[in-house]
Amino acid sequence: MKKIDGNAISREIIEELKIDVANLEGPKPCVAFIRVGEDPASVVYVNKKKKIAEEIGIESRLILLDDKISESDLICEVDRLNNDSSVHGFLIQTPLPNHINDTIILNRVNPEKDIDGFSYANLGRLCQENPDSFIACTPAGIIEILQRTNVKTEGKHVVIIGRSLIVGKPCSLLFLRRHLMGNATVTVCHSKTADLASITKQADILIAAIGKPNFVTVDMVKKNAVIIDVGINRIKDDSKKSGYRLVGDVDFLNVEPVVDKITPVPGGVGPMTVAMLMSNTVKAYKNSRN
Ligand code: NAD
């Protein structure tokens, strides 16, 4: 099938995790979410993560903090969870208020509980191809999508547009690994890349993580390529009750007819991110018991 169903793949993973968790002996895995302030998207994302955790049988705790919290008080909250042996994994939902340095906070998380995989320890482990690393959930979800739809990466040219720490950079490291879903030739493009289309047209697998609606047009892709659209962009749509709809970074309507496989937005990469977060939580739990 040309259109990849991320909802179905993520559901498959959630069902597998439910069985896995049901078969665990002893206390259940426990995940905690720190949310600072009332950013509307963060409220939605954290609630969704909590709901899925509970569905799987993972205990979940929500720590709500005022957006005026000082950086040092937030560090204390992180340390409290680092030291709480009943919590196996946790995350701090971003974006954080401007007066807080994200990097300091994310690096403070105990690497063994860092289910988002954003700490330098886990990014370093990924670089070293250490299987103990917690891999950032969106890149991990992309690999899972490719694996479960039988897309091979070895010897392929993977082009990634975007060099962020949460998508582009970890993706590039994953595809470079000497691994079943690695062994690719990887090119990373970004806002300063010259003649972007000449590079994206060489991609057997094209990953778009830019944050610009319909940025990748049909003249930028190779025939029969596999396209993974990570972008989530709101565009005005008066026909919707909300007044907007979500589109990806790829001009889906025109690109879909010429490619082999493509993820839609919504319903592609998005749902995979939560599934991989839960998978990381179960991994953290199992590691803590060994
Ligand atoms: P970011 O803003 O940190 O990075 C965007 C990247 O795009 C940058 O590296 C930049 O160099 C590149 N870029 C910008 N303009 C460009 C241009 N004209 N040509 C080439 N490259 C250009 O964004 P991010 O956090 O990586 O997120 C990217 C998109 O993915 C956003 O829409 C975000 O909402 C979405 N996202 C989705 C998920 C998910 O679960 N599906 C997770 C994370 C991010």
Side-chain angles (χ1 to χ4, degrees), residues 11-216:
R11 187 39 51 196
E12 225 171 79
I13 295 167
I14 289 166
E15 295 304 323
E16 289 165 12
L17 288 170
K18 272 191 203 172
I19 296 169
D20 202 2
V21 168
N23 288 329
L24 293 172
E25 283 171 14
K28 291 290 179 209
C30 175
V31 64
F33 307 106
I34 296 182
R35 200 188 82 210
V36 181
E38 296 294 326
D39 173 67
S42 295
V43 173
V44 172
Y45 288 144
V46 169
N47 288 347
K48 175 95 186 156
K49 290 168 187 176
K50 195 167 182 304
K51 190 165 157 250
I52 302 274
E54 283 159 8
E55 185 194 338
I56 291 171
I58 297 171
E59 188 197 329
S60 73
R61 297 188 200 163
L62 182 54
I63 293 119
L64 299 178
L65 302 171
D66 192 276
D67 62 0
K68 305 266 179 325
I69 190 170
S70 67
E71 192 172 281
S72 56
D73 284 350
L74 182 54
I75 288 174
C76 288
E77 289 292 337
V78 170
D79 282 347
R80 203 171 53 75
L81 292 177
N82 281 340
N83 297 324
D84 182 343
S85 60
S86 68
V87 172
H88 305 101
F90 68 97
L91 62 80
I92 303 106
Q93 186 67 42
T94 55
L96 290 171
N98 287 337
H99 65 278
I100 290 174
N101 182 325
D102 291 24
T103 309
I104 291 177
I105 300 299
L106 299 178
N107 282 337
R108 188 79 180 193
V109 178
N110 175 349
E112 310 314 322
K113 298 188 179 190
D114 174 25
I115 51 175
D116 254 346
F118 293 157
S119 66
Y120 65 78
N122 277 307
L123 288 164
R125 286 171 175 170
L126 172 59
C127 224
Q128 293 174 337
E129 303 192 25
N130 180 334
D132 291 336
S133 71
F134 287 100
I135 297 167
C137 301
T138 303
I142 292 170
I143 296 290
E144 201 69 30
I145 281 181
L146 295 174
Q147 188 156 25
R148 289 181 188 240
T149 52
N150 297 317
V151 176
K152 304 276 180 276
T153 56
E154 183 163 319
K156 299 284 177 60
H157 188 186
V158 176
V159 175
I160 301 164
I161 319 178
R163 56 178 161 181
S164 73
L165 210 56
I166 63 169
V167 189
K169 280 201 187 97
C171 255
S172 67
L173 292 169
L174 285 168
F175 286 114
L176 283 174
R177 286 186 303 177
R178 284 157 289 200
H179 185 271
L180 177 67
M181 291 307 294
N183 287 322
T185 302
V186 181
T187 304
V188 183
C189 302
H190 47 77
S191 54
K192 306 290 181 214
T193 298
D195 198 2
L196 181 67
S198 72
I199 302 168
T200 56
K201 266 194 283 203
Q202 296 172 35
D204 301 308
I205 300 171
L206 179 64
I207 317 283
I210 312 152
K212 294 193 170 160
N214 303 322
F215 180 89
V216 176

Side-chain angles (χ1 to χ4, degrees), residues 6-7 10 14 266-276:
N7 283 319
S10 104
I14 289 166
V269 175
M272 294 299 295
T273 302
V274 184
M276 300 320 291

